[in-house]
């Protein structure tokens, strides 16, 4: 998808030569005060005179034939008023209309809005990108998507450029994340996931290395190896590095759970909806998406992404309930349930992360059904041993509308993880399952600032619209950009090195 940000008022918008012009507005045209100067304004006046738009209801569209307007189709889209204002919803409806009329080139004009905030432009691009996202990797028949170019017209390009750059980068990161999360497990093996990570190393300041079984054995990652041993697909330990701060700051480490398919192992899952266990690597996919966005923005921060990637399958060599594994730091773990494998691969990755002397560690995992029961698909579960880190992540979630909710980490919750045969068991009872899983992970981070995001309820949707949501890429990117030194933001360069970004292509 090609996006372009240009200067445009309503008069210039009427000369757009594409297929569809969408004019956003948050108020009625007052003909007594304003004399129509362009075809778009005449259109707007007619809509207002006929009361064709309920301006408090975002997403309502109207259209008339308008002389002197070059686009094939022209619609006025209400963004709502006051607390009901929702640019994203308005653009979602407009894009649905664009697809219905098979428009290829679309312009969205913001010049009729009384005010335009940076968040409005971000919401608009996010909604357009989501509305036009089409999965084609194993469904080539879906390649008939109509819209190929979107032009965004604003009255002050300079004021909106920073927001535009960030929004385009986020759209690109979300697309990359969803692409890999949506792929079937035979098209997203651990090795393929590693190849996806390696593809990001073509960008400035991005490095990637992949450790295979012999190297992982030398590191003594016994829990990670134990989970992977039931599958013929070899494990991969992926390390991405984004070096934007010139080694001037300790890195933030993101750790993404990369179970590319989770059968449950010997503790096998029910057959119903087991196909959705291809989404058990959405934590890993979110790390890939964040790095795709960072590669475009080039902020002045340092970030490391760690992805332990493997399958969890039953087989002659598969992990058995009652087995005891030894983690990278020497702690022993009694495996009472092989379907609690995510925490096993993460614990070794967390120990590895500690060796990088990070400022903070954030792990992202589709970890527990208990979190789905607690929070549903609205908010991700947030666990943290550091109030400052937790507050920053909560704030980033609110700003990005990728919200999370802080959950408890009282020491009393760890009581059920005691084992007669190892330092710790990998599961407790049913009660507070999301919390006890987080308490297990906490054992492996020590005193370092750490947060755990349980995205089991938010990473994908089921039913007719089954697919990855890309969450929590928006939350993570917003948090990381907040770490950039004061004065560095607003001048990010694109991957081609130019500060002024006029046209960018967002693709998987």
């Amino acid at each position: 998808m090609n996006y372009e940000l240009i200067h445009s008022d309503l008069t210039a918008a009427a000369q757009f030569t594409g297929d569809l012009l969408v004019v956003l507005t948050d108020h009625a045209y007052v003909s007594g005060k304003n004399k129509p100067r362009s075809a778009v304004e005449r259109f707007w006046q007619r809509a207002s005179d006929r009361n064709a738009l309920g301006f408090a209801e975002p997403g309502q569209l109207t259209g008339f034939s308008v002389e002197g307007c070059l686009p094939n189709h022209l619609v006025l889209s209400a963004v709502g008023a006051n607390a009901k204002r929702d640019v994203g919803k308005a653009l979602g409806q407009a894009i649905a209309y664009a697809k219905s009329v098979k428009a290829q080139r679309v312009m969205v004009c913001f010049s009729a809005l009384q005010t335009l905030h940076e968040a409005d432009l971000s919401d608009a691009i996010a909604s357009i990108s989501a509305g036009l996202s089409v999965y084609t990797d194993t469904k080539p028949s879906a390649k008939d998507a109509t819209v190929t170019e979107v032009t965004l017209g604003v009255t002050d390009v300079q004021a909106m450029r920073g927001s535009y750059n960030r929004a385009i980068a986020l759209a690109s990161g979300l697309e990359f994340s969803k692409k890999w999360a949506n792929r079937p497990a035979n098209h997203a093996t651990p090795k393929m996931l590693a190849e996806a990570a390696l593809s990001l190393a073509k960008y400035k300041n991005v490095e990637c290395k992949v450790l295979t079984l012999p190297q992982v054995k030398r590191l003594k990652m016994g829990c990670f190896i134990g989970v992977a041993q039931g599958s013929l697909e070899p494990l991969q330990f992926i390390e991405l590095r984004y070096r934007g701060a010139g080694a001037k700051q300790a890195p933030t480490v993101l750790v993404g759970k990369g179970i590319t398919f989770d059968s449950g192992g010997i503790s096998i899952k029910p057959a119903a909806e087991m196909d959705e266990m291809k989404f058990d690597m959405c934590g890993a996919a979110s790390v890939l998406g964040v790095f795709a966005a960072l590669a475009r923005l080039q902020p002045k921060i340092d970030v490391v992404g760690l992805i332990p990637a493997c399958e969890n399958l039953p087989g002659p060599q598969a992990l058995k309930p009652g087995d005891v594994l030894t983690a990278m730091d020497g702690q022993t773990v009694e495996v009472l349930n092989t379907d609690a494998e995510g925490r096993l691969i993460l614990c070794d990755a967390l120990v590895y992360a500690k060796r990088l002397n990070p400022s903070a560690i954030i792990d992202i995992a589709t970890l527990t059904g208990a979190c789905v029961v607690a929070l549903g698909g609205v908010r991700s579960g947030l666990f943290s041993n550091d109030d400052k880190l937790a507050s920053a992540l909560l704030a980033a979630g609110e700003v990005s509308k990728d919200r999370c909710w802080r959950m408890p980490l009282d020491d009393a919750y760890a009581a059920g993880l005691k084992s007669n045969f190892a330092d710790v068991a990998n599961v407790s009872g049913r009660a507070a399952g999301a919390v006890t899983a987080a308490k297990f992970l906490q054992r492996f981070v020590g005193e370092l600032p750490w947060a755990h995001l349980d995205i089991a309820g938010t990473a994908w949707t089921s039913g007719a619209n089954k697919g990855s949501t890309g969450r929590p890429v928006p939350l993570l990117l917003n948090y990381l950009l907040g770490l950039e030194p004061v004065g560095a933001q607003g001048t990010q360069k694109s991957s081609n090195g130019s500060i002024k970004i006029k046209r960018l292509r967002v693709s998987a």
Side-chain angles (χ1 to χ4, degrees):
M1 176 61 56
N2 285 318
Y3 287 87
E4 186 175 8
L5 181 69
I6 66 169
H7 168 79
S8 178
D9 56 17
L10 294 177
T11 300
Q15 302 305 307
F16 175 64
T17 56
D19 303 300
L20 171 65
L21 171 61
V22 179
V23 179
L24 298 176
T25 182
D26 53 5
H27 62 296
Y29 192 94
V30 183
S31 57
K33 294 178 64 177
N34 305 294
K35 184 176 180 179
R37 295 176 297 172
S38 70
V40 174
E41 288 176 310
R42 291 195 298 274
F43 166 77
W44 184 10
Q45 183 185 45
R46 291 177 64 189
S48 298
D49 291 345
R50 297 187 185 188
N51 196 27
L53 279 170
F55 288 98
E57 298 299 326
Q60 187 172 348
L61 307 176
T62 190
F64 305 105
S65 59
V66 181
E67 292 183 6
C69 197
L70 295 182
N72 297 328
H73 302 274
L74 190 155
V75 297
L76 196 70
S77 181
V79 304
N82 302 320
K84 290 186 176 182
R85 182 181 173 103
D86 192 335
V87 171
K89 184 176 180 180
L91 262 299
Q93 296 294 329
I95 290 300
Y97 176 82
K99 292 162 72 174
S100 72
V101 299
K102 299 188 183 304
Q104 291 185 313
R105 298 176 59 219
V106 176
M107 179 176 181
V108 179
C109 182
F110 294 83
S111 302
L113 295 175
Q114 296 181 85
T115 56
L116 174 60
H117 306 292
E118 287 194 1
D120 293 334
L121 193 61
S122 300
D123 290 348
I125 293 173
S127 183
I128 293 168
S129 180
L132 296 177
S133 179
V134 180
Y135 174 78
T136 61
D137 285 9
T138 55
K139 189 179 179 181
S141 61
K143 290 182 179 179
D144 60 350
T146 53
V147 180
T148 59
E149 295 184 13
V150 177
T151 301
L152 306 169
V154 298
T155 54
D156 190 341
V157 172
Q158 189 63 33
M160 290 294 113
R161 183 172 291 122
S163 177
Y164 170 75
N165 292 352
R166 290 188 293 273
I168 290 294
L170 174 58
S172 178
L174 280 168
E175 192 70 22
F176 197 80
S177 175
K178 290 193 286 186
K179 167 191 173 71
W180 283 97
N182 283 330
R183 288 170 72 103
N186 63 326
H187 290 265
T189 63
K191 186 175 181 180
M192 292 176 181
L193 208 61
E195 290 169 351
L198 286 165
S199 74
L200 295 173
K202 66 186 178 185
Y203 293 101
K204 179 183 176 183
N205 290 328
V206 179
E207 304 168 7
C208 182
K209 69 178 180 180
V210 179
L211 308 183
T212 56
L213 183 58
Q215 295 156 304
V216 170
K217 281 184 175 179
R218 284 196 291 272
L219 289 169
K220 298 182 180 181
M221 292 184 172
C223 292
F224 181 27
I225 293 169
V227 173
Q229 68 192 33
S231 172
L232 292 176
E233 291 288 345
L235 62 76
Q236 310 278 304
F237 189 80
I238 303 162
E239 181 177 345
L240 280 159
R241 284 179 178 257
Y242 172 77
R243 300 182 187 271
K248 294 178 181 178
Q249 62 178 228
T252 300
V253 179
L254 306 180
V255 182
K257 175 185 171 185
I259 298 291
T260 59
F261 189 79
D262 180 21
S263 70
I266 297 298
S267 307
I268 197 164
K269 294 176 178 289
E273 300 180 345
M274 196 195 287
D275 66 287
E276 295 188 9
M277 288 302 96
K278 70 176 186 177
F279 294 121
D280 212 20
M281 43 68 69
C282 282
S286 71
V287 173
L288 293 178
V290 167
F291 272 77
L294 293 175
R296 284 188 179 274
L297 280 175
Q298 295 290 311
K300 291 178 171 54
I301 55 176
D302 277 3
V303 186
V304 175
L306 302 178
I307 298 173
C310 67
E311 294 181 333
N312 183 29
L313 296 177
Q317 306 217 16
L319 194 62
K320 303 174 294 297
D323 284 356
V324 174
L325 304 175
T326 303
M328 186 177 174
D329 65 354
Q331 292 190 69
T332 56
V333 181
E334 182 183 14
V335 181
L336 297 180
N337 188 325
T338 65
D339 193 26
E341 84 299 329
R343 65 200 72 183
L344 295 176
I345 70 170
L346 287 173
C347 72
D348 278 336
L350 291 171
V351 175
Y352 186 93
K354 286 167 58 179
R355 297 187 176 189
L356 303 175
N357 298 315
S359 60
I361 303 172
I362 304 168
D363 74 73
I364 312 102
T366 49
L367 206 64
T368 66
C371 197
V372 184
V373 173
L375 298 175
V378 179
R379 291 179 185 254
S380 301
L382 168 64
F383 302 81
S384 183
N385 63 359
D386 186 272
D387 290 341
K388 183 178 179 181
L389 175 60
S391 295
L393 288 168
L394 286 167
E398 292 298 321
V399 170
S400 62
K401 300 181 181 177
D402 182 7
R403 297 177 174 90
C404 54
W405 189 260
R406 192 173 185 185
M407 304 284 278
L409 270 179
D410 304 55
D411 287 340
Y413 283 110
L417 294 172
K418 293 180 180 178
S419 167
N420 291 338
F421 308 104
D423 293 323
V424 65
N426 75 326
V427 293
S428 181
R430 292 186 62 189
V435 184
T436 56
K439 290 300 294 182
F440 176 89
L441 295 177
Q442 188 181 10
R443 295 177 61 97
F444 298 88
V445 295
E447 300 302 317
L448 280 170
W450 159 78
H452 160 60
L453 287 168
D454 192 330
I455 59 170
T458 56
W460 80 90
T461 56
S462 301
N465 295 318
K466 183 188 297 184
S468 168
T469 63
R471 297 177 66 182
V473 173
L475 183 160
L476 293 170
L477 185 61
N478 189 280
Y479 167 76
L480 291 171
L481 293 180
L483 302 178
E484 200 171 13
V486 175
Q489 295 186 21
T491 60
Q492 295 100 334
K493 295 184 179 181
S494 71
S495 58
N496 62 13
S498 61
I499 293 178
K500 182 177 180 180
I501 299 178
K502 186 175 182 182
R503 183 178 290 272
L504 283 175
R505 179 171 178 78
V506 176
S507 65

